[in-house]
Amino acid sequence: MEMNQIRTFVILFFFFFFSVNGFRTLSDDPCDPKAQRDPRTLRSDQITVLINGYSESRIPLLQSLAATYATSPLVSSVLVLWGNPSTPAQTVAQLAQNLSLHHSISLLRQSSNSLNNRFLPRSSIGTHAVLICDDDVEIDHESFEFAVRVWGSNRDRLIGFFVRSHDLDLSRKEWIYTVHPEKYSILLTKFMILRNDYLFKYSCNGGPAMVEMRRTVDRMSNCEDILMNFVVADETNVGPVLVGAKWARDYGDARNDVDVDQRLGLKDEGVKEVGLSSRRGEHRKRRGKCIMEFHRVMGRMPLRYGYGKVVNSVGEQGLCEKGGHLVFCDKS
Ligand SMILES: *[C@@H]1O[C@H](CO)[C@@H](O)[C@H](O)[C@H]1NC(C)=O
């Protein structure tokens, strides 16, 4: 071998050596099995709250939400995921400083505005239960604690206060995104309690189909919640659980078609209603497209309906205890 060839060989050798070893430890891959926490070390008596922050105008509300969650004895820690890459570094730094007054709150700036980031597995999550929520939804403390308890007896299900439905438009032979008065199949990320390991399933499992569906979420800048409902329903073969809130305030944003929460009996004081109708129609169409796309890629429709609403008052609207679990009375 000539000197040049030897040199090239040595360089190539080091390149491969480091790309296999050195670079991987530097890459910080959230799906790296070695980066996952041992499930036996996760706490069962508390929940981790992940609040998605994006809009600078809502920072004061975000701070008060995060602080309220942080003071609950049920909350282990609050992670604020800042998903807006164009927010000035100074604003983010100030927000981080403001939030750090509470020991259990931390701010994580996301590297991109991908909505899939909401579901990344994170080694800083030290609990089995995780709450994914928006920065524009306030729930009364009692209802929050009740929802956590409901999760405790329905650990495989998605638990929350805001739901929608899928349905089949028979004339067009299309899946649509809609609202049914008496049943639901999609729990929204306005407030979603779920098992920690569903984050890994969503982000790291499922092969090429999941890769393609996560890409759809990025392309649509929407539907991450619908995809999580697909993932969980595919695993469990049951729908989500709707919990009744005593008091819920949805400050509304372009993604939220808030009117339907009123039809489902949730109070929506302080909701902005200005000229949303056409945007809402557009929003529903996009969400319908996502359902069709996920169905096409998966090759099946895993979404399942849930019925009724679990309320914090046994007898009133049919919550019964059976064998240590909360169940709907009509099923007992
Ligand atoms: C941080 O807190 C200060 C003092 O309360 C407030 O004036 C400021 O707007 C806050 N800034 C951010 C970005 O949170």
Side-chain angles (χ1 to χ4, degrees), residues 59-60 63 90-99 101:
I59 283 180
Q63 290 194 23
Q90 204 193 345
T91 309
V92 177
Q94 204 184 40
L95 176 60
Q97 203 189 353
N98 286 3
L99 291 173
L101 293 173

Side-chain angles (χ1 to χ4, degrees), residues 44-76:
S44 287
D45 57 337
Q46 285 186 317
I47 188 167
T48 304
V49 178
L50 268 61
I51 309 177
N52 215 42
Y54 190 88
S55 162
E56 286 152 42
S57 65
R58 278 204 294 263
I59 283 180
L61 177 60
L62 172 68
Q63 290 194 23
S64 113
L65 279 175
T68 307
Y69 280 123
T71 53
S72 167
L74 284 184
V75 172
S76 153

Side-chain angles (χ1 to χ4, degrees), residues 261-277:
D261 291 316
Q262 283 164 335
R263 282 164 56 188
L264 289 165
L266 283 167
K267 295 186 199 99
D268 278 304
E269 300 145 73
V271 160
K272 295 189 205 99
E273 283 287 356
V274 277
L276 279 177
S277 307

